[in-house]
Structure formats: structure tokens, C-alpha cells
Amino acid sequence: MRLFVASLATETNTFSPVFTDLRDFRNNFYFPPGKHPDTPSLCSAPFMALREYKEHVGDAVEVIEGTAAWAEPGGIVSREAYLHLRDEILGQLQDALPVDGVVLGLHGAMVAQDFDDCEGDLLTEIRRVVGTETVIGATFDPHSHFTRCCAEMADVAIAFKEFPHTDMMERARELVDIVVRAVRRDVKPQIALFDCRMIDVFPTTEGAIRAFVDRITALERSNHHVLSISVVHGFLAGDVPEMGTKVVVVTDNAREKGGALARKLGLELYAMRGKTRMELFTPAEALDRLDRKSGNGPLVIADVWDNPGGGMAGDSTVILRAIMDRGIGVTAVASIWDPIAVQFCFAAGIGASIPLRFGAKSGPGLGEPFDATVTVAGLSEKGSMRFGGSIAQLGRCAAIRLVGDVDVVLSENRVQAYTPEIFSCVGIDPAKRRLLVVKSTNHFRAGFSELSDQFLYVDSGVPYPHDPRTARYRKLERDIWPIVPNPIHDS
């Protein structure tokens, strides 16, 4: 058995001013054939899953590794970057022929100039190269669009079930298992897709969505026709024709039954619309609760929309300004993206007191650049965090101390907060802070739950298109909730 594996992924916020080019892939996560490290990235877990399988079965399988490329979420990818990476992988696949299966780590919300559906285009080109008999499978991020083209071109498609996406390796192992069984003709996977005609936010850490995910996991185990069930949450910040929530069911040669199940689950999900999103506070409302907090650990405030993981710059100063105006001390904020300020801190050195302007440089609506005399409290040449077995690289980063015992982490790379290591890598002990502010929508919950049980989600007013009713979608091809009150009923 010969299996080819590759990964090409990023999450494109089509409203973001932070455009993405080939350097963003090469500087973030780019490994040519055979060079992938021993730890997975969010979308390259299939490499590790195939290596595990190869180690288990030995010479019964030959794994041919192609390129793995990932860029931190940002704005639209340049046409040149996408075509360069796509054609690099296609060339490697052509050289590897014949292959029995193709295993891919994709995202599902990658948009390039002239390509609204990069994953659909890539899968189409791969199908052209390998023909109709070769099994093609891919993992997807649930914050994707998962188009009809993807469903038609792939044999197996599996999205992460968890948000935070802590299950990337579990899903990659499932994908490899199903692809191998399909190559052996033990199963005949078929994809059924249901469009829920809505877009919403579905954190899986608690409540109705936690119960829903647990139930579909049980269905996978109890229904012998079902190989996999995925909920594609959709991605609010992608202005593409098929943006929205989907249910994907992969069955063993039972497409009609899969379609019926996908519809049933999709309608259940549709009935939850407007009830699953985390409660959002203004910065003032969140800070008002600081004196009333109870429980264990510091209060953790998430700046949910100024999130590099959603394609934003991550340099808003709105919440920091509110903290300083109130004189709230024993606080730490992570991280503000500002490579220039980081360079100044490194030049000055630990212990130096310097005048520094930082933050709010990427565009309007992010507050004002912060001017202060700061003390350089910590430096790291290679700041990093763990996340689900992967390593997120902050690059060079600096901890600066403002008056009133307020520490701010400045980073060279745009990376959302995953774990308390975003503080500790520059010498800040987050457990000794009264208040922590992180830039993340929900991925921080898994890591910070080890430190605290007190979380608040804050809308700081940054220009992320978090309300579909006011977002300027120009390419959306159908009615979806909440833009239209009841599109399934009306249709």
C-alpha cells in the first residue's frame, strides 16, 4: 500500500488588512518532503498519524511525504503563494505515482486572490492527477466552509470535533484508519452534506454543544453504517459563496442514510441557533466584575475578536487602555503583536527603562498606539506555547512592565493565546496575577483551565465581522440565519 500525505492550510479572514504571502508560510510552518518535525501542527497531524501507522505495520505500507505548509490566519493569500504551494504538492504527488491513497491536512477556509475555495481547487487537481480509484481523505478545521466541491472530490472528510481543537491527533488517526480500510476495500466511504443555512459560534467546552458533540461521537460508535460525523461550524470572517454551518456524515456505502442523518442532526443544530455563543461583555462590564470574582485563580478575560487565530492583527490596545485608566494592577496581558517594539526591547536589554510606543498599528478601530515609559522585564529569543501536542511559535518576545504593576507581552509573531506559557516564556508567573487578558476566542480555555475557573469573554469593538447582520458579505450565494430570520422555514 502506497500512501501520499501533504498539508496546505491557513484560515483566511477576507476582511483582514493583514495580507498573506509565501513568506508567511515559510516563516511560520513550512517543511519540504521528509522534513516535517516530530510534533504536529494544527493541520499537519495526518503526517504524525501516518508515521504512527507505518511504525505499527512496517513494510505493509509505504508513506510518501510531501510538503507541509501553514500560515498563521490572516487576510487573503496572494495568488502567487497559493499556486506555488499547490503546484509544489501536485508535482510531488505526480512523482509519487502510483499511490493507493492521498491523505491531506487542510483547513477549509483558505481564500486566495481568484480562488474563493482553495481546498476545493486543490482536491479537484489532486483528483485529476490520481484518478477516480485512488482514495482521497482530508482533515478539516470546523471553522471552515467545506464546500460542495470538497464533498464531491474527497472520499473521506473529517473535521475536528472540539473547540478548542484539542483533538487534532484523534481525528487524524480516524482519517488514516478509514482511508486504509477504504484502500483495502473493507469499506466504501461516501460523504453526505447538509447545509444548516446559518452561521454561529459553537464552543464545545460546555452546554448544549458539548452534549451534541458527545452524542454524535456515540452515534459513530453505535451506527454500523456511520464512519464519521463532523460539524463544520463555519467561519464568520470569510466572505465566500458557501460560508456557513454544515453537517458532514461519512458512511460505509450508505449515502442516502448518511444524508438523512446529516439532515436530522443539522436541523437539531439549526434549532440551537442564537443559543450557543458565549456571553460577551464590554471591557467596562468585565472589569467591573473583577472585585466580585470568586473561585480559584486569576480572572481571565478573553479579547475574543482581536484574535490572531481569526486572522486579526492582535495589536488592539482597547482593553489595556481601560485597565490603565482604572489603575488596575497585578495584571498581565498577552500578547500584543508589535515586531518593532520587540526589537527596541531587545536592543535595550532586560532591566532597561525606555520610552516605547506599541500596539494599534495595523488599522483603525483598534484603539490608539500606547505611549509609555516601560521597564523591559523579560526577553525570549524563541517564545512558544504547547497546544494539543503542537508547538505555537511566538518568535522573539518581550515582557514590558508599565506603572501600577501591569505586564504586557509583546510578540514578533501573530499568535493567539493557547496556554499560560505565553506569559511564563518571558518570566511572568500568571498564577500570581489578579487579572489576565488574552487574545483568543476560545482556544485558551483548555490550557488556562488548569490555572483558573473564572473566565469572561469581551467584545472590545475591533472591526472583526462578528455580527453577520452588519458584515458586508458580497459573495454569499444563499440566505442564512441571522441575516435572514428563518431561511430553512422560508425555503
Side-chain angles (χ1 to χ4, degrees):
M1 184 187 304
R2 289 170 54 82
L3 301 176
F4 177 83
V5 59
S7 177
L8 175 54
T10 189
E11 181 180 70
T12 302
N13 180 335
T14 60
F15 299 87
S16 174
V18 186
F19 292 98
T20 306
D21 66 9
L22 191 58
R23 286 173 296 181
D24 293 299
F25 289 91
R26 291 194 181 278
N27 292 340
N28 196 291
F29 188 93
Y30 172 83
F31 293 98
K35 300 298 184 181
H36 192 288
D38 291 332
T39 55
S41 70
L42 188 65
C43 293
S44 71
F47 280 76
M48 307 311 300
L50 267 176
R51 288 179 183 179
E52 289 178 355
Y53 179 71
K54 167 69 175 175
E55 185 176 351
H56 177 68
V57 302
D59 293 339
V61 63
E62 181 180 358
V63 175
I64 305 99
E65 293 190 358
T67 290
W70 159 267
E72 190 68 19
I76 291 175
V77 179
S78 72
R79 174 185 173 88
E80 291 76 14
Y82 169 62
L83 290 178
H84 177 92
L85 293 168
R86 182 199 73 173
D87 293 347
E88 182 177 317
I89 290 171
L90 291 174
Q92 294 160 355
L93 176 60
Q94 186 73 52
D95 292 342
L97 294 179
V99 297
D100 301 294
V102 177
V103 179
L104 301 168
L106 305 177
H107 186 283
M110 183 177 178
V111 180
Q113 294 164 330
D114 302 326
F115 294 90
D116 286 335
D117 179 16
C118 290
E119 288 82 2
D121 175 73
L122 176 61
L123 285 165
T124 298
E125 291 300 309
I126 287 175
R127 181 60 74 190
R128 178 184 60 78
V129 170
V130 301
T132 58
E133 296 302 311
T134 298
V135 180
I136 301 175
T139 56
F140 288 82
D141 190 297
H143 296 117
S144 60
H145 310 301
F146 196 77
T147 63
R148 289 166 292 188
C149 182
C150 290
E152 291 167 3
M153 292 297 109
D155 297 291
V156 188
I158 298 176
F160 312 140
K161 284 183 168 60
E162 302 296 340
F163 177 35
H165 307 328
T166 53
D167 61 328
M168 57 187 177
M169 278 304 302
E170 288 86 348
R171 303 290 81 79
R173 292 180 184 116
E174 287 178 11
L175 175 70
V176 169
D177 176 68
I178 296 172
V179 167
V180 167
R181 291 162 64 196
V183 168
R184 291 173 173 167
R185 302 296 187 259
D186 294 334
V187 296
K188 184 179 180 180
Q190 295 180 328
I191 294 176
L193 175 66
F194 180 76
D195 181 358
C196 299
R197 301 284 292 274
M198 68 175 183
I199 185 71
D200 211 342
V201 180
F202 303 103
T204 62
T205 41
E206 57 192 21
I209 295 301
R210 174 73 266 151
F212 189 81
V213 169
D214 290 342
R215 193 154 61 82
I216 65 174
T217 301
L219 275 172
E220 289 175 333
R221 295 172 181 150
S222 63
N223 189 322
H224 70 277
H225 294 295
V226 175
L227 299 175
S228 172
I229 303 172
S230 298
V231 176
V232 175
H233 301 188
F235 185 50
L236 284 162
D239 183 14
V240 296
E242 296 184 59
M243 184 269 284
T245 303
K246 321 281 175 59
V247 173
V248 180
V249 176
V250 184
T251 60
D252 179 9
N253 199 26
R255 194 187 305 275
E256 287 189 11
K257 291 181 179 179
L261 179 58
R263 177 179 176 81
K264 177 179 181 295
L265 294 172
L267 291 175
E268 290 179 20
L269 203 58
Y270 180 75
M272 298 181 202
R273 64 194 185 281
K275 302 173 184 177
T276 60
R277 184 180 291 208
M278 62 283 282
E279 183 180 6
L280 293 175
F281 299 88
T282 67
E285 290 170 338
L287 295 177
D288 284 345
R289 292 178 171 235
L290 183 58
D291 290 330
R292 303 198 302 270
K293 75 181 184 72
S294 59
N296 300 312
L299 176 65
V300 182
I301 287 178
D303 190 353
V304 297
W305 302 127
D306 186 41
N307 174 16
M312 294 298 290
D315 68 345
S316 169
T317 60
V318 172
I319 297 178
L320 175 62
R321 180 72 65 183
I323 289 168
M324 297 302 293
D325 287 347
R326 292 193 181 205
I328 298 172
V330 198
T331 293
V333 178
S335 65
I336 291 179
W337 177 55
D338 196 327
I340 295 173
V342 170
Q343 170 59 31
F344 291 166
C345 291
F346 267 82
I350 292 177
S353 178
I354 61 172
L356 189 67
R357 168 170 286 195
F358 63 92
K361 296 174 181 174
S362 64
L366 301 167
E368 296 295 328
F370 212 98
D371 292 302
T373 297
V374 307
T375 300
V376 181
L379 298 170
S380 175
E381 282 283 355
K382 294 182 178 180
S384 65
M385 299 169 282
R386 294 163 296 131
F387 179 65
S390 67
I391 304 294
Q393 301 289 348
L394 290 157
R396 296 207 304 175
C397 48
I400 57 173
R401 181 155 298 154
L402 283 67
V403 295
D405 197 13
V406 175
D407 287 349
V408 178
V409 180
L410 305 175
S411 63
E412 184 178 50
N413 296 344
R414 290 185 311 109
V415 183
Q416 68 175 301
Y418 292 114
T419 72
E421 290 169 302
I422 198 170
F423 295 105
S424 60
C425 73
V426 283
I428 299 170
D429 185 349
K432 294 182 178 179
R433 296 283 144 174
R434 180 185 178 204
L435 172 66
L436 300 175
V437 178
V438 297
K439 292 182 183 290
S440 177
T441 302
N442 202 48
H443 282 319
F444 74 97
R445 280 292 295 262
F448 280 83
S449 291
E450 301 174 5
L451 180 70
S452 176
D453 59 7
Q454 302 172 95
F455 304 98
L456 292 177
Y457 297 85
V458 171
D459 179 354
S460 62
V462 300
Y464 183 97
H466 57 275
D467 186 347
R469 295 168 296 183
T470 58
R472 295 182 179 180
Y473 299 117
R474 302 183 187 279
K475 297 182 179 181
L476 192 59
E477 66 178 12
R478 70 214 190 285
D479 291 338
I480 65 171
W481 179 92
I483 300 171
V484 173
N486 197 355
I488 288 184
H489 174 76
D490 293 342
S491 64

